[in-house]
Amino acid sequence: MKSTPRRRATATGALIAAAALLAVGVQAGTATATPGSATAAAATAGAKHGALAKQLTPSKRAELIREANASKAATAKELGLGSQEKLVVRDVIQDNDGTTHTRYERTFAGLPVLGGDLVVQETKAGATKSVTKASKVTSAQLKAVGTAADIAPAKAETQALGAAKAAGSKKTVADRAPRKVVWMAQGKPQLAYETVVGGLQDDGTPNELHVVTDASTGAKLYEWQATETGTGNTQYNGQVTLGTAPSYTLTDTGRGNHKTYNLNHGTSGTGTLFSNSTDVWGNGTPQNAETAAADAHYGAAETWDYYKNVQGRTGIRGDGVGAYSRVHYGNAYVNAFWSDSCFCMTYGDGSGNTKPLTSLDVAAHEMTHGVTSTTAGLVYSGESGGLNEATSDIMAAAVEFYSNTTADPGDYLVGEKIDINGNGTPLRYMDKPSKDGASKDAWYSGIGSIDVHYSSGPANHFFYLLSEGSGAKTINGVNYDSPTSDGLPVTGIGRDKAALIWFKALTTKFTSTTNYATARTGTLAVAGELYGTTSAEYKSVADAWAAISVGSRSGGTDPGGTVFENTTPVAIPDRGAAVTSSVNVTGITGNAPSTLKVGVDITHTWRGDLVIDLVAPNGTTYRLKNSSISDSAPNVQTTYTVNASSVAANGTWKLKVQDVYSGDTGKINSFKLTF
């Protein structure tokens, strides 16, 4: 799709507001920093400079957003949106070559469209390269949505209060009265109410439950929990240097004026800003209130530095403004959480008020929830919720390795310092997530129905495999032994490159409804942009996903293999009959192999429309790809592996492709088999 040259910018509105470190109800030396340039150099080694994100100053980012706002009406027209639909610019990412990734929310007749977010990628000249949408129907006008509700708002509020009560809230009135929205995160758009209920959950975590109710029938459509779960003598990081104000307050003037407050066991408000008569904070023990504050303050600083020096992002929103931290929340509260509503991190003191959840990886985990909220906005439920949690674990590991703190060296363990379980074991393991007794090692069709802290397992496992590879190894004194679902090895590309790929996918490819399949598509697209589609990095991304049962291996021509290929283009009709591309296989003795490689090159503006099958000479059909309204990326350019050992090799093989939804077009460029 081409456009009139113009400049635009982006960001996304999150459907979430916060996240906790733990699933609700789960109770159970000297610091030396590696220069940011070293980690950044390792991450970008071999990458195409033009495809790397440019470090935007807050003023430059604001300028790009102003430009995007000036052209958003033209963008809406180009996308084919109706006269009642408007775009809302939320953020912008710009690459070194001038490519911009503009993230938008949508409104319809003035109503927020939940699940209508999208990312527009443009060249420096202003030509549209791609559009990534949270929902298939974002490509069409919202024509059949009425704005008159059949039920009263009170019914929606009653339903929301009931759902919140089940989570532990004692609220009798919604914190945010029902508002009309257009709900399209699950496909077909429809008028609904969104109601938000506060209070506290069973474990003392603040409640911010969002309930979406059908405005015609009163039925609940969806719900998600929006509370995601000087010199400092710290408990976990040893003696560290802290950024403080000259007046001796915990105010980091060099990092957006991030502040650290003492809630003094309260559960609301800001608390009291830590102040002192000297620039020495804490004594390394939990009995001193300043110790937890020093850990939290240090974690926020290291996370800020990592995002700025390695990923080119200045502050959580990219606007140079610091969040703030609150420590000593509640009494023996065993959790920590990020909240959009206060733009802050909050930490409990743990069991017996002696194990505060202020370790470095927990701080980075919570701050990353804020980054996710202001970029992809992954809904904190279902598969997108698991990816949201995994993103915080992934980037927390990256921060920990970047920090290179002697007292807390980098590892692929989550919460290993805070002793949640009381026996010295970590909260989560990235090399084999199931070691915690609840997380999953690999994707399966029902994974979206479990708690997001456990459905994050496959993505954490993917990141470990992509970083370090499979098999046994020891890193910084920790032993790992990472298995694969298909029993095949994975070659790691290094954690810095793996984190770069994940973060670029988060900020330029993922949307509010991204699931595991579309996360694979997004990370492969980024690997292709950064390193090329024939690179070792691209191959390892595909292999790491296949190793957790998402998609196929990278394939390629086997040594000595015989290739049969058809390069004649075949047009794929929009929502039409199936078309085929054929190859005639001859000279192969016996049956096809159990690892038959099927190379597919299809260009299409919405790959989720496509059903792709391989048809053997005897009519046996092998499903390569199902359609999916949430698979929003363009093109299918991959190699599938098929066990075709039960059929004879010689004869005519067909690639059958059908477009089952309307609104997008494409063609088969080539089809090949490698025996």
PDB file of all heavy atoms in Angstrom, residues 68 119 128 182 257 317 349 415 492 522 531 566 573 575 631 655:
ATOM      1  N   ALA A  68       2.478  13.503  13.357  1.00  0.00           N
ATOM      2  CA  ALA A  68       1.511  12.421  13.148  1.00  0.00           C
ATOM      3  C   ALA A  68       0.093  12.915  13.378  1.00  0.00           C
ATOM      4  O   ALA A  68      -0.830  12.556  12.641  1.00  0.00           O
ATOM      5  CB  ALA A  68       1.822  11.257  14.083  1.00  0.00           C
ATOM      6  N   VAL A 119      -0.544  -0.315  14.101  1.00  0.00           N
ATOM      7  CA  VAL A 119       0.759   0.314  13.903  1.00  0.00           C
ATOM      8  C   VAL A 119       0.977   0.488  12.410  1.00  0.00           C
ATOM      9  O   VAL A 119       0.834  -0.461  11.640  1.00  0.00           O
ATOM     10  CB  VAL A 119       1.906  -0.538  14.487  1.00  0.00           C
ATOM     11  CG1 VAL A 119       3.244   0.181  14.303  1.00  0.00           C
ATOM     12  CG2 VAL A 119       1.667  -0.836  15.957  1.00  0.00           C
ATOM     13  N   THR A 128       3.738   4.130   2.889  1.00  0.00           N
ATOM     14  CA  THR A 128       3.364   3.093   3.850  1.00  0.00           C
ATOM     15  C   THR A 128       3.955   1.749   3.445  1.00  0.00           C
ATOM     16  O   THR A 128       3.736   1.276   2.335  1.00  0.00           O
ATOM     17  CB  THR A 128       1.837   2.986   3.955  1.00  0.00           C
ATOM     18  OG1 THR A 128       1.317   4.236   4.383  1.00  0.00           O
ATOM     19  CG2 THR A 128       1.433   1.897   4.937  1.00  0.00           C
ATOM     20  N   VAL A 182     -16.739   0.526  21.796  1.00  0.00           N
ATOM     21  CA  VAL A 182     -16.889  -0.478  20.747  1.00  0.00           C
ATOM     22  C   VAL A 182     -15.862  -1.571  21.040  1.00  0.00           C
ATOM     23  O   VAL A 182     -14.663  -1.293  21.111  1.00  0.00           O
ATOM     24  CB  VAL A 182     -16.672   0.119  19.352  1.00  0.00           C
ATOM     25  CG1 VAL A 182     -16.731  -0.986  18.294  1.00  0.00           C
ATOM     26  CG2 VAL A 182     -17.711   1.189  19.060  1.00  0.00           C
ATOM     27  N   ASN A 257      13.849  12.761  37.339  1.00  0.00           N
ATOM     28  CA  ASN A 257      13.368  13.069  38.695  1.00  0.00           C
ATOM     29  C   ASN A 257      12.579  11.915  39.307  1.00  0.00           C
ATOM     30  O   ASN A 257      11.580  12.134  40.005  1.00  0.00           O
ATOM     31  CB  ASN A 257      12.531  14.351  38.711  1.00  0.00           C
ATOM     32  CG  ASN A 257      13.396  15.592  38.593  1.00  0.00           C
ATOM     33  OD1 ASN A 257      14.478  15.669  39.179  1.00  0.00           O
ATOM     34  ND2 ASN A 257      12.934  16.564  37.819  1.00  0.00           N
ATOM     35  N   ARG A 317       7.802   6.106  29.097  1.00  0.00           N
ATOM     36  CA  ARG A 317       6.976   6.569  27.976  1.00  0.00           C
ATOM     37  C   ARG A 317       7.806   7.089  26.826  1.00  0.00           C
ATOM     38  O   ARG A 317       7.254   7.467  25.792  1.00  0.00           O
ATOM     39  CB  ARG A 317       6.016   7.662  28.455  1.00  0.00           C
ATOM     40  CG  ARG A 317       4.918   7.185  29.390  1.00  0.00           C
ATOM     41  CD  ARG A 317       3.914   8.292  29.667  1.00  0.00           C
ATOM     42  NE  ARG A 317       4.520   9.416  30.363  1.00  0.00           N
ATOM     43  CZ  ARG A 317       4.135   9.848  31.568  1.00  0.00           C
ATOM     44  NH1 ARG A 317       3.144   9.243  32.210  1.00  0.00           N
ATOM     45  NH2 ARG A 317       4.726  10.889  32.125  1.00  0.00           N
ATOM     46  N   ASP A 349       6.794  -5.748  51.656  1.00  0.00           N
ATOM     47  CA  ASP A 349       7.965  -6.126  52.450  1.00  0.00           C
ATOM     48  C   ASP A 349       8.135  -7.633  52.594  1.00  0.00           C
ATOM     49  O   ASP A 349       9.056  -8.088  53.280  1.00  0.00           O
ATOM     50  CB  ASP A 349       7.879  -5.494  53.843  1.00  0.00           C
ATOM     51  CG  ASP A 349       8.181  -4.008  53.805  1.00  0.00           C
ATOM     52  OD1 ASP A 349       9.027  -3.599  52.989  1.00  0.00           O
ATOM     53  OD2 ASP A 349       7.565  -3.252  54.579  1.00  0.00           O
ATOM     54  N   GLY A 415      13.231 -13.470  40.386  1.00  0.00           N
ATOM     55  CA  GLY A 415      12.986 -13.330  41.817  1.00  0.00           C
ATOM     56  C   GLY A 415      13.806 -14.255  42.676  1.00  0.00           C
ATOM     57  O   GLY A 415      13.357 -14.669  43.755  1.00  0.00           O
ATOM     58  N   GLY A 492      21.912 -20.667  20.164  1.00  0.00           N
ATOM     59  CA  GLY A 492      21.653 -19.334  20.677  1.00  0.00           C
ATOM     60  C   GLY A 492      22.395 -18.256  19.902  1.00  0.00           C
ATOM     61  O   GLY A 492      23.435 -18.512  19.287  1.00  0.00           O
ATOM     62  N   GLY A 522       5.942 -11.538  14.370  1.00  0.00           N
ATOM     63  CA  GLY A 522       6.562 -10.244  14.610  1.00  0.00           C
ATOM     64  C   GLY A 522       8.057 -10.325  14.847  1.00  0.00           C
ATOM     65  O   GLY A 522       8.831  -9.518  14.318  1.00  0.00           O
ATOM     66  N   TYR A 531      18.792  -8.485  10.448  1.00  0.00           N
ATOM     67  CA  TYR A 531      19.902  -9.351  10.053  1.00  0.00           C
ATOM     68  C   TYR A 531      19.725 -10.022   8.692  1.00  0.00           C
ATOM     69  O   TYR A 531      20.666 -10.629   8.184  1.00  0.00           O
ATOM     70  CB  TYR A 531      20.118 -10.440  11.117  1.00  0.00           C
ATOM     71  CG  TYR A 531      20.294  -9.892  12.505  1.00  0.00           C
ATOM     72  CD1 TYR A 531      19.264  -9.956  13.439  1.00  0.00           C
ATOM     73  CD2 TYR A 531      21.481  -9.281  12.889  1.00  0.00           C
ATOM     74  CE1 TYR A 531      19.415  -9.434  14.727  1.00  0.00           C
ATOM     75  CE2 TYR A 531      21.649  -8.755  14.168  1.00  0.00           C
ATOM     76  CZ  TYR A 531      20.608  -8.833  15.085  1.00  0.00           C
ATOM     77  OH  TYR A 531      20.760  -8.308  16.336  1.00  0.00           O
ATOM     78  N   ASN A 566       8.441 -24.387  -8.173  1.00  0.00           N
ATOM     79  CA  ASN A 566       7.608 -23.681  -9.139  1.00  0.00           C
ATOM     80  C   ASN A 566       7.646 -22.197  -8.780  1.00  0.00           C
ATOM     81  O   ASN A 566       7.247 -21.807  -7.684  1.00  0.00           O
ATOM     82  CB  ASN A 566       6.166 -24.196  -9.088  1.00  0.00           C
ATOM     83  CG  ASN A 566       5.288 -23.574 -10.170  1.00  0.00           C
ATOM     84  OD1 ASN A 566       5.621 -22.544 -10.739  1.00  0.00           O
ATOM     85  ND2 ASN A 566       4.154 -24.214 -10.437  1.00  0.00           N
ATOM     86  N   PRO A 573      -7.320 -15.033  -5.025  1.00  0.00           N
ATOM     87  CA  PRO A 573      -8.510 -14.164  -5.021  1.00  0.00           C
ATOM     88  C   PRO A 573      -8.971 -13.840  -3.604  1.00  0.00           C
ATOM     89  O   PRO A 573      -8.915 -14.685  -2.710  1.00  0.00           O
ATOM     90  CB  PRO A 573      -9.547 -14.985  -5.782  1.00  0.00           C
ATOM     91  CG  PRO A 573      -9.104 -16.401  -5.651  1.00  0.00           C
ATOM     92  CD  PRO A 573      -7.613 -16.363  -5.596  1.00  0.00           C
ATOM     93  N   ARG A 575     -11.153 -13.643  -0.640  1.00  0.00           N
ATOM     94  CA  ARG A 575     -12.278 -14.462  -0.181  1.00  0.00           C
ATOM     95  C   ARG A 575     -12.888 -15.261  -1.344  1.00  0.00           C
ATOM     96  O   ARG A 575     -14.090 -15.240  -1.605  1.00  0.00           O
ATOM     97  CB  ARG A 575     -13.360 -13.611   0.479  1.00  0.00           C
ATOM     98  CG  ARG A 575     -14.305 -14.454   1.345  1.00  0.00           C
ATOM     99  CD  ARG A 575     -15.299 -13.601   2.099  1.00  0.00           C
ATOM    100  NE  ARG A 575     -16.105 -14.433   2.974  1.00  0.00           N
ATOM    101  CZ  ARG A 575     -17.092 -13.981   3.756  1.00  0.00           C
ATOM    102  NH1 ARG A 575     -17.390 -12.698   3.771  1.00  0.00           N
ATOM    103  NH2 ARG A 575     -17.767 -14.820   4.517  1.00  0.00           N
ATOM    104  N   ASP A 631      -3.910 -13.009  13.323  1.00  0.00           N
ATOM    105  CA  ASP A 631      -2.594 -13.136  12.689  1.00  0.00           C
ATOM    106  C   ASP A 631      -2.455 -11.992  11.692  1.00  0.00           C
ATOM    107  O   ASP A 631      -2.664 -12.149  10.495  1.00  0.00           O
ATOM    108  CB  ASP A 631      -2.488 -14.504  12.007  1.00  0.00           C
ATOM    109  CG  ASP A 631      -1.073 -14.794  11.524  1.00  0.00           C
ATOM    110  OD1 ASP A 631      -0.192 -13.943  11.730  1.00  0.00           O
ATOM    111  OD2 ASP A 631      -0.857 -15.872  10.941  1.00  0.00           O
ATOM    112  N   LEU A 655       0.643 -27.026  -3.687  1.00  0.00           N
ATOM    113  CA  LEU A 655       0.433 -26.103  -2.578  1.00  0.00           C
ATOM    114  C   LEU A 655      -0.932 -25.461  -2.805  1.00  0.00           C
ATOM    115  O   LEU A 655      -1.139 -24.768  -3.810  1.00  0.00           O
ATOM    116  CB  LEU A 655       1.519 -25.022  -2.546  1.00  0.00           C
ATOM    117  CG  LEU A 655       1.420 -24.057  -1.360  1.00  0.00           C
ATOM    118  CD1 LEU A 655       1.879 -24.736  -0.078  1.00  0.00           C
ATOM    119  CD2 LEU A 655       2.250 -22.791  -1.608  1.00  0.00           C
TER     120      LEU A 655
END
